[in-house]
């Protein structure tokens, strides 16, 4: 069996720059000839270099995905609490904590369960069959058996199985958009090129996983498997696979801080108790109770639920999230690196300007939909003298447009499709035109002539004088073959001065990065070979792959939200700059070759808006430079060439319709409508999700700190003032508060819609913690006030018995949590009833608390007694004192800050 090799597929040990050496040298280096290999030699090479397939990566096991859910310090804390509960034989606590850990793990597992199929998706790109020359005859073999030195026979429609240097090219064009980002078919040649020629400009090479769009050719294989350009991308994907998501970093940081705080406080209380004469075992129990009180048991599950709800909302807005924490990452994005072709643009060539009858017309609309009109000086134009130009474009044409599931699809050359659409905008249908002027002959396009001609005859006529030829092609070549000009419905002599005017117009179009085709016709020729001589020049059609109409507004919203947009493309710099200017993308233009010559790209990256003629390695350098500047980077793309960068970016965004399988598998998010504008909606949702997580953390930690303060203050001051030494809360009461009366409202907070100003704020600093400095102060203040008032209530009721005092302290904390909810929502400018789910959650929490207080069967488990009306009055007054005290202290703090 053939081995999988990572060696260079160059038998002679050459450097692999096959585009830069003569054909004879290439064949010598590969120990091959134009007659191909023998079957025996092919077998020897197959064993030496391995199968022509991409290296398979070992998939992540189901168990690894499952156990990764336990990697959070917050979960570690819960596991410690679980072990301690089992050790103390507190089975009720152990069951509840264990259930929470299991629930959180299962939620995360099912949301993130996915196969790592990026390499497998790349393998799907390989052609199943390949036509080669072996033993001096044409053979069809499985593409995995292709070896370096094989001679490939290529024809229209073939998917190329390996990288190869062209030996023969007959009007050969390849579609390489998925690999290089170039939206137009590439016309191939056989001549050697300079060594430093960029990948997208290597016109004498064909590449694995690209498609023959037109023509035929013969090529010698130079690289197979992992040594192809697609193989290099597969390697880059593998190298860029691991990345830590910002939310994971923040949760880990928060978990570490909580762990240190819990251990520190527990140790301090334990030592303090021993120094004041308390029993060793009793103080150990108190320390454990403190730890249980400090841990927000429900937080991991609540964060998972918050992210899951964010995912559902994003799906409704055409954004499919593949990795849960990426929801929050979107909210902190500072830079979006966007591929041009198919992302900012349609990947559909569109005629935007035409020159006919001595004037320029603007053509509105974009893509393959026939919606648009012709304007002259901004006004609707008469088309009497434009029809001949459009008719030539439609009839001298082999492309077809078919209605797909979601949009029209082109069969044939995208350039020709653009000509069909421009004619349709004027009401000219190719099918109808062919009925009256059927095609009877043609001269196919060739790279030598740079033009194509079709010969037509009036319907029902057999006379030679009724023949007319229509020609389109490179306008400079076409002009040289024209002697007349069509103007105002008549033919005039094409003077030298008029030719100069037309050339100047061509230069103006070219300066706008438009691709130009000239159109001409002829009559009265004796044979078709004479049709391309002494033609009548009719006009120019200038086209481009245009920006999506909604993208400009989306980029403006990104700018408003403090997000920089950078265009990254394999296309030419002039084309990229023209699109960038139209979209409002600011900054300098840099090419891939210039990136190589820069020692410190990060020093200039802030001033660059467009990167052109880049390859996959360049994209990785760009992302690394941005990350060095402290940016959170999103990368959008749809091609194979985008996959490594999608993996490397903090969040990779693939296109759902035009995106390749490779791009989708490498991404964190998929746009189901291929609409760049949907990214803005996703960012808005991401920022809203982070706000909601922060609200939940605020709420939970305030409550937990209140519980911690209750136990801490009671255990510290009770011995000093001769007050009851019993703890105000039992472990089961603490868990009930944390998981039920805390958990339901905290989860409901995740349903809050994004704030009205969420897209008018600058991105959060990437290193900003979930618990910011200001939030930390608010949590500490409310938690301490909550603890102090609860301990006072406990001590006031101590004379009524420990169960009554604990019931009051227990219920006071539940009531105070409702106060905390109102405070949080008022700080976020939300009224209490704006979230119906939250209202419902609060009501359910209160009803459950009432059940614990008044259902006799539950009272023994929770150590509670039924409260009387006067007790509820005390709790109401205490709640008012807490609210008023917090507002007063907060206002005094703000006033002090202003004075300072």
């Amino acid at each position: 069996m053939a081995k999988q090799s990572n060696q260079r597929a160059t038998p002679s040990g050459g450097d692999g720059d096959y585009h830069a050496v003569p054909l004879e040298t290439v064949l010598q280096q590969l120990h091959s000839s134009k007659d191909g290999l023998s079957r025996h030699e092919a077998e020897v090479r197959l064993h030496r270099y391995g199968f022509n397939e991409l290296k398979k990566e070992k998939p992540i096991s189901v168990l690894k995905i499952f156990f990764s859910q336990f990697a959070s310090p917050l979960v570690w804390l819960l596991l410690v609490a679980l072990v301690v509960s089992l050790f103390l034989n507190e089975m009720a606590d152990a069951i509840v904590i264990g259930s929470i850990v299991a629930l959180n793990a299962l939620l995360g597992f099912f949301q993130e369960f996915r196969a790592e199929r990026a390499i497998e998706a790349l393998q799907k790109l390989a052609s199943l069959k390949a036509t080669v020359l072996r033993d001096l005859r044409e053979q069809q073999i499985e593409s995995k058996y292709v070896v370096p030195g094989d001679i490939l026979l290529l024809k229209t429609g073939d998917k190329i199985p390996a990288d190869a240097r062209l030996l023969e090219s007959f009007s050969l064009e390849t579609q390489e958009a998925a690999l290089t980002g170039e939206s137009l078919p590439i016309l191939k040649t056989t001549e050697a090129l300079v060594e430093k020629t960029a990948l997208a400009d290597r016109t004498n090479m064909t590449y694995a996983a690209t498609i023959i769009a037109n023509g035929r050719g013969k090529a010698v294989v130079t690289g197979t498997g992992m040594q192809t350009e697609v193989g290099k991308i597969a390697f880059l994907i593998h190298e860029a696979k691991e990345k830590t998501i910002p939310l994971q970093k923040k949760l880990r940081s928060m978990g570490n801080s909580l762990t240190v705080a819990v251990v520190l406080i527990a140790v301090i209380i334990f030592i303090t108790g021993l120094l004041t004469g308390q029993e060793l075992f009793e103080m150990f129990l108190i320390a454990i109770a403190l730890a249980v009180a400090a841990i927000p048991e429900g937080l991991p599950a609540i964060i998972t639920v918050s992210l899951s709800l964010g995912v559902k909302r994003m799906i409704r807005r055409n954004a499919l999230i593949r990795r849960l924490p990426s929801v929050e990452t979107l909210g902190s994005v500072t830079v979006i690196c966007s591929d041009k072709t198919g992302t900012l643009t349609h990947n559909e060539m569109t005629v935007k300007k035409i020159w006919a009858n001595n004037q320029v017309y603007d053509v509105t609309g974009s893509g393959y939909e026939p919606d648009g009109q012709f304007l002259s000086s901004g006004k609707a134009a008469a088309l009497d003298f434009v029809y001949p130009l459009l008719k030539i474009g439609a009839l001298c044409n082999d492309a077809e447009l078919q209605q797909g599931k979601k949009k029209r699809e082109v069969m044939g050359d995208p350039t020709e499709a653009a000509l069909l659409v421009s004619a349709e905008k004027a009401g000219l249908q190719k099918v109808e035109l062919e009925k009256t002027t059927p095609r009877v002959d043609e001269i196919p396009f060739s790279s030598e002539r740079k033009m194509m001609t079709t010969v037509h005859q009036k319907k029902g006529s057999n006379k030679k004088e009724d023949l007319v030829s229509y020609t389109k092609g490179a306008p400079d070549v076409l002009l040289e073959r024209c002697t007349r000009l069509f103007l105002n419905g008549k033919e005039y002599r094409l003077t030298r001065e008029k030719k100069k005017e037309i050339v100047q117009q061509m230069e103006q179009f070219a300066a706008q990065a438009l691709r130009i085709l000239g159109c001409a016709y002829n009559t009265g020729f004796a044979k078709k070979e004479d049709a391309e001589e002494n033609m009548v020049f009719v006009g120019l059609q200038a086209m481009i792959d245009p920006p999506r109409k909604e993208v400009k507004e989306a980029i403006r919203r990104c700018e408003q939200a403090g997000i920089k947009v950078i265009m990254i493309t394999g296309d030419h710099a002039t084309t990229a700059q023209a699109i960038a200017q139209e979209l409002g993308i600011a900054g300098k233009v840099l090419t891939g070759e210039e990136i190589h010559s820069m020692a410190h790209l990060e020093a200039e990256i802030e001033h660059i808006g467009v990167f052109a003629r880049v390859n996959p390695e360049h994209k990785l350098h760009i992302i690394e430079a941005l990350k060095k500047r402290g940016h959170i980077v999103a990368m959008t793309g749809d091609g194979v060439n985008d996959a490594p960068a999608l993996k490397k970016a903090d969040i990779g965004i693939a296109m759902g319709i035009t995106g390749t399988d490779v791009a989708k598998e490498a991404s964190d998010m998929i746009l189901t409508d291929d609409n760049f504008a949907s990214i803005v909606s996703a960012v808005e949702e991401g920022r809203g999700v982070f706000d909601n997580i922060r609200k939940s953390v605020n709420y939970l930690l305030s409550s937990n700190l209140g519980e911690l303060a209750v136990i801490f203050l009671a255990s510290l001051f009770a011995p000093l003032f001769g007050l009851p030494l019993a703890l105000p809360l039992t472990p089961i009461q603490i868990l009930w508060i944390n998981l039920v009366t805390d958990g339901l409202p905290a989860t409901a907070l995740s349903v809050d819609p994004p704030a009205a100003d969420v897209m008018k704020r600058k991105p959060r600093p990437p290193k900003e913690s979930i618990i910011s400095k200001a939030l930390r102060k608010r949590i500490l203040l409310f938690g301490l006030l909550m603890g102090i008032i609860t301990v006072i209530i406990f001590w006031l009721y101590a004379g009524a018995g420990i169960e009554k005092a604990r019931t009051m302290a227990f219920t006071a904390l539940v009531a105070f949590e409702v106060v905390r909810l109102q405070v949080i929502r008022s700080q976020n400018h939300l009224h209490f009833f704006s979230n119906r789910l939250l209202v419902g959650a609060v009501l359910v929490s209160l009803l459950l608390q009432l059940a614990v207080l008044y259902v006799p069967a539950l009272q023994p488990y929770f150590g509670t007694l039924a409260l009387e009306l006067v007790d509820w009055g005390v709790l109401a007054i205490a709640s008012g004192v807490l609210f008023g005290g917090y507002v007063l202290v907060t206002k005094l703090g703000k006033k002090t800050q202003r004075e300072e």
Side-chain angles (χ1 to χ4, degrees):
M1 184 171 178
K3 65 181 179 178
Q4 179 74 49
S5 173
N6 289 325
Q7 299 174 17
R8 289 192 66 85
T10 51
S12 65
D15 62 7
D17 291 326
Y18 296 108
H19 65 279
V21 293
L23 289 175
E24 294 75 15
T25 307
V26 173
L27 291 169
Q28 287 172 8
Q29 288 180 349
L30 293 167
H31 299 308
S32 185
S33 73
K34 292 184 178 181
D35 297 327
L37 304 174
S38 67
R39 184 168 62 87
H40 177 263
E41 176 62 21
E43 288 178 357
V44 170
R45 295 191 184 197
L46 187 65
H47 282 276
R48 184 185 304 168
Y49 300 111
F51 286 129
N52 177 32
E53 56 187 19
L54 299 174
K55 184 179 178 182
K56 294 180 181 178
E57 294 298 322
K58 188 177 180 181
I60 296 176
S61 69
V62 172
L63 285 176
K64 186 173 181 180
I65 295 173
F66 179 74
F67 285 116
S68 69
Q69 308 304 316
F70 298 91
S72 166
L74 287 172
V75 177
W76 299 343
L77 279 176
L78 290 180
L79 291 173
V80 170
L82 174 62
V83 171
V84 171
S85 298
L86 290 170
F87 176 74
L88 297 176
N89 205 31
E90 295 287 345
M91 296 310 297
D93 295 356
I95 290 170
V96 173
I97 294 173
S99 299
I100 288 298
V101 171
L103 175 65
N104 178 69
L106 289 171
L107 275 172
F109 173 77
F110 285 118
Q111 286 287 348
E112 295 184 17
F113 179 60
R114 56 179 175 79
E116 288 288 310
R117 294 187 297 269
I119 304 299
E120 289 155 10
L122 276 165
Q123 288 176 317
K124 292 176 187 176
L125 289 172
S127 175
L128 294 177
K129 298 288 183 182
T131 304
V132 298
L133 279 179
R134 287 190 182 171
D135 292 330
L136 300 176
R137 63 189 179 90
E138 188 176 316
Q139 298 181 28
Q140 195 170 58
I141 62 172
E142 287 189 48
S143 63
K144 70 177 182 179
Y145 296 122
V146 171
V147 296
D150 257 328
I151 301 298
L152 297 175
L153 301 178
L154 305 169
K155 64 181 184 304
T156 303
D158 284 353
K159 188 176 286 183
I160 301 170
D163 288 2
R165 169 69 188 272
L166 281 164
L167 303 176
E168 297 176 4
S169 176
F170 299 96
S171 302
L172 187 72
E173 294 183 331
T174 58
Q175 180 56 259
E176 298 178 357
L179 180 66
T180 66
E182 175 61 66
S183 55
L184 293 170
I186 308 298
L187 183 64
K188 295 295 182 176
T189 61
T190 58
E191 292 79 13
L193 304 170
V194 297
E195 187 176 340
K196 291 185 179 181
T197 304
L199 179 70
D201 294 325
R202 293 176 188 174
T203 54
N204 59 8
M205 298 288 294
T206 60
Y207 296 105
T210 62
I211 297 169
I212 304 296
N214 188 40
R216 60 186 177 87
K218 184 188 288 187
V220 58
V221 174
T222 58
T224 59
M226 293 300 289
Q227 298 309 314
T228 61
E229 291 300 325
V230 171
K232 293 173 186 176
I233 291 173
F235 176 76
L236 290 172
I237 292 173
H238 174 65
E239 289 294 297
K241 194 172 288 185
E242 297 300 326
K243 61 183 175 186
T244 305
I245 294 173
L247 181 62
Q248 294 171 332
K249 296 178 186 175
K250 291 168 185 174
L251 289 176
R252 188 177 296 124
S253 174
M254 188 176 75
N256 291 337
S257 300
L258 283 174
T259 302
V260 171
V262 166
V263 172
L264 188 63
I265 293 172
V267 169
I268 290 172
I269 291 299
F270 180 74
I271 294 172
T272 303
L274 291 180
L275 292 175
T276 54
Q278 300 294 321
E279 292 183 9
L280 178 66
F281 186 68
E282 184 180 359
M283 287 313 302
F284 178 71
L285 289 178
I286 290 173
I288 294 300
L290 274 170
V292 173
I295 299 170
E297 287 88 347
L299 185 56
I302 286 166
I303 288 174
T304 302
V305 169
S306 297
L307 294 172
S308 300
L309 290 170
V311 167
K312 289 182 179 178
R313 287 199 300 268
M314 286 184 179
I315 288 173
R316 291 196 293 269
R317 303 184 76 172
N318 302 310
L320 177 63
I321 297 293
R322 298 183 64 244
R323 297 174 177 85
L324 268 186
S326 301
V327 176
E328 183 276 333
T329 308
L330 273 166
S332 53
V333 161
T334 58
V335 175
I336 298 174
C337 295
S338 177
D339 184 56
K340 177 186 74 70
T341 305
T343 307
L344 296 173
T345 67
H346 285 271
N347 196 16
E348 297 175 353
M349 293 300 290
T350 306
V351 174
K352 299 302 290 182
K353 289 181 180 291
I354 63 176
W355 181 89
N357 207 48
N358 212 30
Q359 64 176 311
V360 175
Y361 298 84
D362 293 306
V363 188
T364 63
S366 59
Y368 295 144
E369 298 302 321
D371 302 319
Q373 57 182 323
F374 296 81
L375 305 177
S376 177
S377 302
K379 298 178 181 179
L383 301 179
D384 296 345
F385 301 123
V386 177
Y387 284 128
L389 174 66
L390 300 176
K391 182 179 179 180
I392 294 170
L395 287 174
C396 184
N397 200 311
D398 290 328
E400 291 181 20
L401 286 164
Q402 299 177 352
Q403 187 59 49
K405 290 182 179 179
K406 294 187 177 180
K407 61 178 185 178
R408 298 175 93 194
E409 297 173 353
V410 61
M411 303 294 290
D413 191 299
T415 301
E416 292 194 321
L419 298 177
L420 290 181
V421 175
S422 68
E424 288 180 0
K425 289 176 181 177
L428 300 179
Q429 299 288 335
K430 180 183 177 183
V431 176
E432 298 301 321
L433 291 173
E434 287 180 333
K435 287 179 181 178
T436 58
T437 319
R439 184 189 300 191
V440 294
D441 209 340
E442 65 182 89
I443 307 175
F445 176 86
S446 72
S447 55
E448 292 76 23
R449 291 171 27 258
K450 294 185 179 179
M451 65 181 72
M452 169 187 174
T453 297
T454 57
V455 180
H456 301 257
Q457 192 159 35
K458 291 181 181 178
K459 187 176 180 181
S461 173
N462 292 318
K463 298 177 181 179
K464 281 193 173 183
E465 54 266 28
D466 288 333
L467 288 176
V468 59
S469 66
Y470 296 130
T471 302
K472 74 173 189 299
D476 52 341
V477 177
L478 211 61
L479 269 175
E480 292 304 314
R481 298 204 179 195
C482 291
T483 56
R484 291 160 291 165
L485 175 68
F486 186 79
L487 193 64
N488 297 320
K490 298 179 181 179
E491 295 177 9
Y492 294 89
R493 189 170 71 87
L494 182 58
T495 63
R496 189 179 300 232
E497 290 72 22
K498 182 52 72 174
K499 278 188 178 181
K500 284 184 180 179
E501 286 181 27
I502 296 171
V503 169
Q504 287 175 354
Q505 187 59 61
M506 288 159 48
E507 291 172 350
Q508 289 178 25
F509 284 160
Q512 299 171 55
L514 296 169
R515 185 183 189 189
I516 314 157
L517 284 178
C519 294
Y521 74 88
N522 208 349
T523 57
F525 48 88
K527 53 184 186 293
K528 72 173 182 179
E529 288 75 14
D530 297 331
E532 292 180 348
E533 300 298 334
N534 301 313
M535 292 183 288
V536 181
F537 192 82
V538 179
L540 305 167
Q541 296 206 52
M543 61 194 72
I544 197 169
D545 178 16
R548 295 173 181 269
K549 60 183 178 182
E550 65 278 358
V551 168
K552 188 170 185 177
E553 172 61 18
I555 289 174
R556 189 195 64 79
R557 290 195 68 198
C558 284
E559 186 178 359
Q560 191 178 43
I563 300 168
K564 179 181 175 69
V565 177
I566 294 176
M567 179 194 294
I568 301 179
T569 179
D571 218 335
H572 291 281
T574 52
T575 304
Q577 188 171 26
I579 297 292
Q581 288 175 347
E582 190 171 343
L583 290 174
I585 297 175
K588 296 192 298 184
V589 179
L590 205 69
T591 64
E593 196 172 317
E594 290 170 324
I595 292 174
H596 271 307
S597 63
M598 294 185 72
H600 301 287
L601 178 59
E602 62 271 18
E604 294 291 327
I605 195 82
E606 300 289 356
H607 309 294
I608 299 167
V610 178
F611 289 94
R613 300 312 265 174
V614 299
N615 61 35
E617 292 92 340
H618 293 145
K619 294 183 180 184
L620 295 176
H621 291 321
I622 293 164
I623 290 173
E624 286 168 4
L626 287 166
K627 286 187 172 184
K628 284 180 182 177
R629 301 286 295 183
H631 288 289
I632 300 296
V633 184
M635 166 72 187
T636 72
D638 58 357
V640 177
N641 62 323
D642 296 319
L646 292 176
K647 273 284 190 182
K648 183 74 174 177
D650 293 294
I651 179 162
I653 306 170
M655 301 297 112
I657 299 172
T658 59
T660 59
D661 287 342
V662 185
K664 292 173 187 176
E665 292 300 330
S667 68
D668 303 290
M669 183 179 97
I670 298 170
L671 297 181
T672 58
D673 62 349
D674 281 17
N675 192 334
F676 181 89
S678 295
I679 298 172
V680 181
S681 300
V683 169
E684 183 179 7
E685 288 291 349
R687 290 187 175 190
V689 165
F690 185 82
D691 284 352
N692 290 345
I693 289 175
R694 182 169 267 180
K695 280 184 273 186
S696 296
V697 169
N698 183 358
Y699 172 68
L700 287 173
L701 292 186
S702 295
S703 302
N704 282 46
L705 183 61
E707 297 160 24
L708 188 67
V710 168
I711 295 175
F712 181 84
L713 294 172
S715 59
L716 188 64
F717 291 107
L720 298 177
F721 297 105
L723 296 166
L725 296 176
L727 292 175
L729 298 168
T730 63
I732 194 69
Q733 289 173 343
I734 292 170
L735 283 173
W736 175 262
I737 294 170
N738 286 1
L739 301 178
V740 180
T741 60
D742 269 6
L744 291 176
T747 303
L749 281 172
S750 62
V751 183
D752 274 349
D757 66 340
V758 74
M759 286 303 288
K760 294 180 180 177
R761 310 176 199 159
K762 297 299 180 185
R764 297 185 311 277
K767 294 184 180 179
E768 182 178 282
S769 169
I770 292 177
I771 308 172
S772 63
K773 187 176 180 181
L775 181 59
R776 197 180 305 128
K777 289 180 180 179
R778 291 197 291 267
I779 289 172
L780 285 171
L781 174 60
F782 197 92
L784 285 173
L785 288 174
M786 193 173 171
I788 290 168
I789 295 172
T790 303
V791 169
I792 291 172
I793 291 173
F794 173 73
W795 284 336
L796 288 176
Y797 274 81
I802 191 62
E803 284 193 337
K804 182 65 177 280
R806 278 179 173 164
T807 301
M808 283 296 293
F810 179 34
T811 309
L813 286 172
V814 174
F816 294 166
E817 286 171 351
V818 178
V819 175
R820 183 57 178 154
L821 275 176
Q822 179 54 29
V823 169
I824 290 171
R825 291 178 63 73
S826 64
Q827 288 172 339
N828 285 274
H829 311 292
L830 297 168
H831 61 83
F832 190 79
F833 295 99
S834 64
N835 185 338
R836 293 180 182 177
L837 190 62
L838 179 62
V839 174
V842 170
L843 290 174
V844 170
S845 296
L846 292 177
L847 287 172
L848 289 171
Q849 182 66 17
L850 291 175
V852 167
L853 296 180
Y854 294 102
V855 175
L858 296 176
Q859 287 175 341
Y861 288 100
F862 289 90
T864 56
L865 296 172
L867 296 182
E868 298 174 5
L869 189 61
V870 67
D871 300 326
W872 287 107
V874 170
L875 292 175
I877 292 169
S879 296
V881 170
L882 175 62
F883 183 81
Y886 176 79
V887 172
L888 181 63
V889 174
T890 303
K891 285 185 177 180
L892 288 172
K894 287 181 179 178
K895 184 179 179 182
T896 304
Q897 282 183 338
R898 284 197 298 270
E899 289 174 352
E900 290 174 353

